């Protein structure tokens, strides 16, 4: 576990802010597609630090052993960019609904949070199909944008991103923007597309939408091993809440995919 210091804060859209960080250990991480990590946000008046040499076992056990009113909030994020020992993370702002959004809404240069990962143990290569399909909501946009930057110009791709309204669009070429303000939703738009079975699919965003899209592509004959998927958040629930039966089933599917 290491600490990160904010070096810049740049609004991208009304509901998304980009921050850069520096901190120890970034030079040793390396890069790979879809880098995910944990960020730790201090409670008011507290610290994001967790002992690097805990007396109670692993770092995570030390984290759990902290008193509730001192333990920093931990949330999962995807790296937007990691270069020259500078880490870039894009934050979706949704008011005071959640510690990450609350922190990001008022963060300033010099603020400090914690970092755990990313780990190359979870690295997965991009697919090699003739056509790649990417679909997610705004929480998945940083991952999708970073993945698209890795593709050769000639690579065929279909890209769908659901956002609140046109003001949330970013300069990401080739995206079919899905606007909730227009009554659209990601699942309906993607499932209406005529997509062949011999594709590679990447899905991210709200968990129930990700599950619905995964079922759709499997039903169309896409091999499960050719579908990368991750439910980043759950409607009405947070990462602090206990996993549901669907969450546990998703985790088993992801573990099975990693072992193939």
């Amino acid at each position: 576990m290491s600490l990160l210091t904010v070096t810049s804060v740049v609004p991208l859209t009304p509901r998304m802010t980009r921050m850069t960080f520096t901190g120890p250990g970034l030079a040793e991480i390396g890069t790979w597609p879809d880098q995910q990590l944990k960020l730790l946000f201090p409670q008011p008046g507290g610290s994001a630090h967790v002992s690097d040499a805990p007396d109670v076992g692993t770092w995570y056990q030390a984290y759990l052993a902290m008193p509730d009113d001192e333990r920093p909030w931990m949330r999962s994020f995807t790296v937007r960019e990691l270069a020259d020992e500078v880490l870039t993370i894009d934050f979706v702002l949704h008011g005071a609904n959640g510690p990450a959004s609350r922190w990001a809404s008022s963060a300033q240069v010099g603020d400090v949070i914690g970092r755990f990962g990313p780990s190359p143990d979870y690295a997965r290569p991009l697919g090699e199909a003739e056509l790649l399909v990417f679909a997610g909501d705004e929480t998945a946009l940083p991952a999708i944008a970073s993945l698209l930057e890795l593709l050769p110009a000639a690579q065929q791709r279909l890209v769908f991103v659901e956002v609140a309204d046109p003001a949330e669009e970013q300069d990401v070429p080739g995206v079919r923007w899905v606007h909730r303000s227009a009554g659209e939703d990601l699942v309906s738009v993607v499932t209406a597309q005529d997509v062949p079975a011999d594709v590679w699919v990447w899905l991210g965003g709200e968990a129930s939408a990700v599950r619905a899209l995964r079922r759709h592509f499997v039903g169309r004959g896409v091999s499960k091993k050719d579908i990368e998927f991750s439910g980043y958040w759950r409607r009405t629930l947070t990462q602090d809440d206990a996993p549901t039966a669907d969450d546990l089933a998703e985790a088993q599917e992801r573990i099975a995919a990693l072992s193939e």
Side-chain angles (χ1 to χ4, degrees):
M1 183 267 176
S2 301
L3 296 179
L4 295 170
T5 301
V6 178
T7 55
S8 70
V9 181
V10 179
L12 296 178
T13 71
R15 298 179 178 86
M16 186 171 286
T17 291
R18 174 168 295 168
M19 297 189 203
T20 58
F21 302 85
T22 58
L26 293 179
E28 290 77 45
I29 293 176
T31 58
W32 57 87
D34 197 10
Q35 291 182 287
Q36 299 184 26
L37 77 168
K38 304 289 187 183
L39 296 181
L40 288 84
F41 302 93
Q43 296 201 35
S47 168
H49 181 71
V50 178
S51 173
D52 295 321
D55 296 328
V56 293
T58 66
W59 171 89
Y60 187 63
Q61 288 172 320
Y63 170 79
L64 294 177
M66 296 178 70
D68 290 345
D69 59 352
E70 297 179 11
R71 185 187 307 121
W73 292 291
M74 182 162 58
R75 294 292 184 267
S76 300
F77 280 82
T78 301
V79 174
R80 180 61 182 85
E81 185 179 45
L82 177 56
D84 300 323
E85 300 183 45
V86 175
L87 177 70
T88 302
I89 302 287
D90 291 349
F91 293 82
V92 177
L93 306 179
H94 43 88
N97 298 318
S101 179
R102 285 197 302 270
W103 179 86
S105 295
S106 60
Q108 300 179 358
V109 171
D111 287 351
V112 176
I113 58 175
R115 169 183 68 83
F116 186 70
S119 170
D121 293 342
Y122 299 98
R124 298 279 286 172
L126 285 168
E128 297 179 351
E130 183 175 340
L131 174 65
L132 308 184
V133 178
F134 301 85
D137 58 24
E138 54 266 86
T139 65
L141 180 54
I144 291 174
S146 64
L147 290 169
L148 294 178
E149 292 171 356
L150 298 175
L151 301 181
Q155 173 67 61
Q156 296 183 46
R157 79 288 301 268
L158 290 172
V159 187
F160 306 89
V161 179
E162 179 186 307
V163 293
D165 52 49
E168 292 304 305
E169 296 183 13
Q170 296 185 32
D171 184 15
V172 182
V175 172
R176 163 48 165 107
W177 298 99
V178 179
H179 300 133
R180 290 191 293 273
S181 62
E184 297 182 316
D185 69 87
L186 186 68
V187 174
S188 297
V189 169
V190 174
T191 56
Q193 307 301 310
D194 185 14
V195 177
D198 55 340
V199 298
W200 183 84
V201 179
W202 188 99
L203 306 171
E206 195 278 320
S208 65
V210 168
R211 284 192 290 268
L213 287 173
R214 182 171 180 269
R215 288 194 296 267
H216 165 74
F217 282 109
V218 170
R220 289 186 63 90
V222 179
S223 171
K224 289 183 179 180
K225 67 179 180 60
D226 289 327
I227 305 176
E228 286 290 321
F229 65 102
S230 183
Y232 286 164
W233 60 283
R234 300 176 293 172
R235 205 173 303 279
T236 74
L237 298 173
T238 75
Q239 291 185 7
D240 298 320
D241 294 308
T244 65
D246 285 336
D247 295 329
L248 294 173
E250 176 183 314
Q252 288 298 322
E253 289 279 4
R254 288 174 59 82
I255 292 170
L258 288 170
S259 64
E260 291 181 356

